[in-house]
Amino acid sequence: MKRTLLALLLSVSLLADATWAVAPAKIVQAGPGARIAGIDISHWQHPKDAPIDFTQMYSAGIRFVMIKGADAQTAADEMALKFLIPDRKAAQRALLYTGFYYYAYLPDSADTAFIIKDAQAQAQKVVWRIGQMGGYNRRDLPVALDLENNCQRTDGRGTCLKYMARTNVTLWAKTWLQTVTEKTGRKPIFYSYPQFLESAMVGDPALRQYPLWMARYSLDPALTTSQPNAKGVGCFAHPWSNANCTAQWQFWQYTSCGIAGKYGVPGTRVDLNVFAGTTSKFLALIRGTWTPEPADSLPQNEPTTMQLVSQSSQSTNEPFIATIDVLRPDGTPVVTGTVRFKSLDDSLTIGTQTSVRAATGRWTVTVNGLVAGNYLGILQYSDPSGTHAGNTFPVQFQVTQGTPPPSPTASPAPTKTKAPAVDTCAGQIRN
């Protein structure tokens, strides 16, 4: 009798697991302007790893949730993966529809062939991530490309040193979108804000085939007069702009100051969204599943090769700088990891070093504080995710003694004044 009961309970549990993702849900239009309401989350909505109550989120009228699921930078990507799969599962169990977005960084190059190669590599990373999720199911929105920064070179501290040309930004975006479409059979969503679309991209009509997720705050979507594409005078001109000054948007992120607790989210604030169309148009985006083929599965400890692009060193007044490519067996760039310099002579002092991702699979390593001497070392590639195998590349260079810098002169300590508090939600909707 006990075995029979146990078998019955097990069969019920398995049936629930097989059907929860396709269970019916009432798609109420409870958002501002009687639109379908949504929310987007990342690890910031998990302070101290606190869980999100998706059942409460559903009860508050939310019907879709966009989850940060991947990032071009390795550390941020690991953090996104930590929450993506459990959040997606919990949200779908609460009868929410889910999507995930990929935060992109542009490569430091003006060469069109290199830009295409980088976009294809970042698209491959997203396809692998969908594969880690088990593919698209019947409650998944297509993946979204989050492109909101046209900086292609930084100083390692976040200051942009060079911005990418508009035509190249557009080329990169089109390549990424096309590659993901070809791999999954579903057109990705494009996320950005209207100022970026107008100033950093060209008006390529081919982009209009992709659903637009537009970020625009300080306008109330409950008002029929509110248009996220409007300026003070006129409107923003970009690939999704219409002749009547509106825009062909599907999703509108209208505030970053939603009342988190109201939706079962830990913390104080959360991004809120609305869908532009009807229930049938929303469901049209959901239709279509995709299961990855074995070739699309994430590799484990895949062999790598390394190629030195350039290196330079002069005197103790300048840093050693090396740019290195790390490649997969088919010659495409690796999609994660980092590169560091390691001296093989412990008697020679090195100071600080930074490793900046210049493009997918390309890093620029800068080493400061070197003493004079002949250096024999390695550029060491490592991938904490285990996708690609580690590797090393030998380097040798000479550092001559430079002119010592002048001794600094003492200056009076600056007077410290307390900066006034800034309300980052000023002017935003606080639903």
Side-chain angles (χ1 to χ4, degrees), residues 5 40 54 84 107 116 121 136 143 210 218 249 316 342 345-346:
L5 180 60
D40 61 273
F54 291 102
L84 169 64
I116 290 171
Y136 285 133
V143 66
Y210 302 101
S218 303
W249 60 272
T316 53
K342 181 180 179 181
D345 185 351
D346 294 335

Side-chain angles (χ1 to χ4, degrees), residues 38-40 62 217 252-259 263 270-274 429-431:
I39 209 163
D40 61 273
I62 299 297
Y217 306 153
W252 176 3
Q253 185 188 72
Y254 66 90
T255 184
S256 65
C257 295
I259 304 168
Y263 305 100
V270 69
D271 297 342
L272 298 178
N273 304 264
V274 289
I429 306 299
R430 307 190 194 210
N431 284 353

Side-chain angles (χ1 to χ4, degrees), residues 149-164:
N149 190 340
N150 60 337
C151 181
Q152 64 179 112
R153 183 185 304 164
T154 70
D155 61 0
R157 295 184 297 273
T159 303
C160 187
L161 303 177
K162 184 179 181 182
Y163 292 92
M164 181 174 278

